[in-house]
Amino acid sequence: MADRLADAGMACDLQVWDRQVHIFQATADLLPEGARAIGEIGRFVRSTVPASR
């Protein structure tokens, strides 16, 4: 998917988190890795989506 998005000229940031299960971000309230991943998602969105007026 990341390759296809890049080929289409879309912003994409693929991150592979070692030793994490699918949707580990749902554990953000329990595990630091989940919280860190949510922070990364927020940073990407803020850097990619124009600010609303």
Side-chain angles (χ1 to χ4, degrees):
M1 179 59 98
D3 289 339
R4 291 178 71 189
L5 287 167
D7 290 345
M10 300 300 297
C12 179
D13 184 13
L14 174 64
Q15 294 184 355
V16 179
W17 293 69
D18 191 35
R19 300 183 191 162
Q20 296 301 320
V21 298
H22 183 64
I23 67 165
F24 74 98
Q25 299 86 347
T27 66
D29 58 337
L30 300 172
L31 298 175
E33 295 87 351
R36 202 169 116 225
I38 295 293
E40 292 288 329
I41 293 166
R43 278 186 282 287
F44 176 78
V45 170
R46 284 189 298 277
S47 72
T48 305
V49 177
S52 62
R53 296 179 196 189

